[in-house]
Amino acid sequence: MKSQIIKELGQADILLPSLIADGLAANDRVKVRMSALQAAAQHALTPEQRPTDLSTECRAAGISAADLASLIAGAHRTATGRLAAPGLARLIAAIEDDTRAMIRAVDAGRPAEGQSAERRLETIRQAGR
């Protein structure tokens, strides 16, 4: 709320350092989450192999290692060939939230590029429905 008011008053440059820090932290988290998604897909294809351990990466990014370990270890293919895993919907939502944090950082410094990124994210969201 406060950041929106500052932006409306034309003082968004005050928020830029904080938005950049938030965007960089979100970038670290989204990388780990995307790695978890890849590891889950791999484990679903080859369940006899030991699941990928991302605990070190999780700690560095401030993400619950237990949640991602459960997601990866529980990943499987459905009868229709789709990926299913415990917490998959939460993972996808977290990836979207992190992406939006990165977009906010870009938008604060380069609004046209931020808006373009927001449109691309919305296109991806719509395609995934």
Side-chain angles (χ1 to χ4, degrees):
M1 175 81 154
K2 188 189 312 183
S3 60
Q4 185 62 31
I5 292 169
I6 291 171
K7 188 174 179 180
E8 292 296 323
L9 293 173
Q11 301 293 318
D13 57 325
I14 293 171
L15 299 174
L16 194 54
S18 175
L19 289 170
I20 290 172
D22 290 348
L24 290 172
N27 185 44
D28 292 341
R29 290 188 306 269
V30 82
K31 286 178 187 177
V32 174
R33 289 180 170 128
M34 294 295 286
S35 292
L37 188 58
Q38 290 174 325
Q42 183 63 38
H43 183 69
L45 290 173
T46 55
E48 68 282 356
Q49 292 184 359
R50 198 165 112 195
T52 301
D53 179 6
L54 295 174
S55 57
T56 301
E57 294 85 347
C58 287
R59 276 192 300 279
I63 296 172
S64 168
D67 289 348
L68 290 189
S70 174
L71 179 133
I72 294 167
H76 61 279
R77 295 281 176 195
T78 66
T80 61
R82 296 188 71 152
L83 175 66
L88 185 58
R90 283 191 315 273
L91 177 71
I92 300 301
I95 289 171
E96 183 176 340
D97 290 346
D98 287 337
T99 303
R100 288 195 188 287
M102 292 186 294
I103 290 171
R104 281 191 298 275
V106 171
D107 189 58
R110 295 182 181 244
E113 291 177 25
Q115 291 166 7
S116 176
E118 184 64 43
R119 286 190 300 273
R120 286 193 307 271
L121 178 59
E122 187 57 32
T123 299
I124 291 167
R125 278 186 77 251
Q126 293 301 320
R129 287 186 176 188

